[in-house]
Amino acid sequence: MLGVYADLPWSYAAGAGIALAAAHQLRGARHTVPSPPAVTSGAPSARTAEPPASAAPSTRPTATTGSSTPSTRPAGIIGSSAPSARPAVLTGSSATFARSAVEGPPVGRAPRVTGAAGGRHFALAMAYSVLIFVPASLFVAHRYPQWATAQHEDALSREALAWLGAAEVALTAAGFLVARALLVAGRIRWAVCQVILGCLLLCLAVVHGRDGDGWKRFLSSDRDDYARFPRFLHVADIGPIAGHVAGFLTSGLAVVLYTTGAVVLGTLGVVMGLLHQFGLTDAGADGPGPLRAALVAAVVGGGALVLAVLVSALVSGGGGVALAAVLPVLWLAVAARGAFATVVITDLGLPAEHDPAV
């Protein structure tokens, strides 16, 4: 939908994002608590069928006969064989069950789920890719091949379009499965980084591209339009550049992008929003509502765009050396413990990292 080079990382980010939205479900939002021991009136349970040593029949002489005939009444029950009305003190598994019933399952501390690759969440991610994203991407690439390939190709063959669709489906699956594996392992921060990485690569494809002119190529509908893009030599050139951008934003291609973008982004937002809200409810966790969660997602996308602009400027000015120098800074700002990814985890109410119960 944003062109060949941008749609590929978008596919990966979408798969990882759907998995991240279902973080509580994929981690397992609730414990599987064993049923309590059956309690029947007047009959011993199966676990207490054998009387303990302290409950052995008493050999005390009876008061009436003085004989040493053993009494059939268990020791410790005085005056009556009816069960005592005093509440029993639960121990062992019974106490554990009672505590879990009262306190509820700790948030994010449930058994690992298995088979999620063939489960409904994976199927939902694949349905989004096959039914929504890939058709929109292929439609734009087929109708506007020069724009979709950043003016590097004049046309795309059917075979090339088939390969593009297959690659997008595969990347969606890869994004989901990698993020899901990280979530199950308790590496929530790294799962968040999969989404951020996909968004960053997408923005870099739009902003920088293959030759540093990505944003100019993105704002040009075809090769001729790109050739007419005004050069920025002094302040007076801002006007012609703004006119070129305005012409693109009101073109027929832009209308197609607005339409397909609304469908693709809207569907993805609804899917991720519902999964996230259902997960919070199932886990009993405090988290943001749909609007605030959407704001967090917008901040993630906006932050990726700002980082892409900074990286593009550094690479254009200093080449690979500048990029190597900025990578540690990106690590500290985004992926390090306590950095931006950790803030996202807290804001979205995602499961805690390295859960000891899993």
Side-chain angles (χ1 to χ4, degrees):
M1 194 209 76
L2 292 180
V4 173
Y5 303 107
D7 285 352
L8 294 175
W10 184 333
S11 300
Y12 185 88
I18 292 174
L20 188 66
H24 285 290
Q25 295 95 316
L26 293 176
R27 288 274 287 163
R30 295 190 182 278
H31 277 297
T32 302
V33 182
S35 301
V39 179
T40 57
S41 175
S45 65
R47 294 181 59 184
T48 58
E50 294 296 331
S54 60
S58 172
T59 57
R60 283 184 312 181
T62 61
T64 57
T65 62
S67 66
S68 60
T69 303
S71 172
T72 59
R73 187 171 57 197
I77 302 179
I78 300 176
S80 174
S81 61
S84 173
R86 192 170 68 180
V89 177
L90 298 178
T91 59
S93 62
S94 299
T96 302
F97 175 84
R99 285 195 300 272
S100 64
V102 173
E103 299 173 0
V107 175
R109 294 187 178 182
R112 296 181 183 182
V113 294
T114 58
R120 56 185 179 181
H121 302 101
F122 181 78
L124 185 59
M126 292 296 95
Y128 167 78
S129 178
V130 173
L131 300 179
I132 304 297
F133 184 81
V134 171
S137 174
L138 295 184
F139 172 76
V140 174
H142 173 70
R143 186 166 181 179
Y144 303 97
Q146 290 191 17
W147 179 85
T149 59
Q151 293 82 43
H152 293 296
E153 300 292 338
D154 290 327
L156 289 172
S157 64
R158 291 184 179 181
E159 182 179 5
L161 291 173
W163 277 108
L164 175 61
E168 290 171 351
V169 172
L171 284 171
T172 302
F176 181 93
L177 294 177
V178 170
R180 181 251 174 184
L182 292 169
L183 289 169
V184 172
R187 309 286 181 172
I188 314 300
R189 180 164 47 97
W190 287 107
V192 173
C193 287
Q194 302 307 304
V195 181
I196 297 175
L197 175 63
C199 292
L200 178 58
L201 293 177
L202 185 159
C203 293
L204 281 172
V206 172
V207 172
H208 191 80
R210 290 166 53 178
D211 55 3
D213 278 351
W215 66 280
K216 294 180 181 179
R217 295 178 179 276
F218 181 81
L219 295 172
S220 301
S221 57
D222 54 28
R223 190 168 295 171
D224 293 336
D225 197 26
Y226 170 66
R228 292 192 300 266
F229 199 98
R231 295 180 179 274
F232 182 74
L233 301 176
H234 45 76
V235 178
D237 292 332
I238 295 180
I241 292 176
H244 184 96
V245 172
F248 172 81
L249 295 178
T250 55
S251 64
L253 169 59
V255 173
V256 171
L257 295 180
Y258 299 149
T259 304
T260 55
V263 174
V264 170
L265 277 177
T267 305
L268 182 61
V270 169
V271 169
M272 292 179 62
L274 290 176
L275 289 177
H276 181 241
Q277 295 303 313
F278 288 159
L280 292 175
T281 301
D282 291 343
D286 293 330
L291 292 180
R292 185 179 169 188
L295 178 61
V296 174
V299 170
V300 171
L305 179 59
V306 171
L307 287 177
V309 172
L310 294 176
V311 171
S312 177
L314 288 172
V315 171
S316 298
V321 175
L323 179 61
V326 79
L327 286 179
V329 178
L330 291 177
W331 164 264
L332 293 175
V334 177
R337 186 176 297 275
F340 182 68
T342 305
V343 174
V344 172
I345 292 173
T346 304
D347 287 346
L348 292 179
L350 299 177
E353 282 195 279
H354 304 292
D355 197 318
V358 178

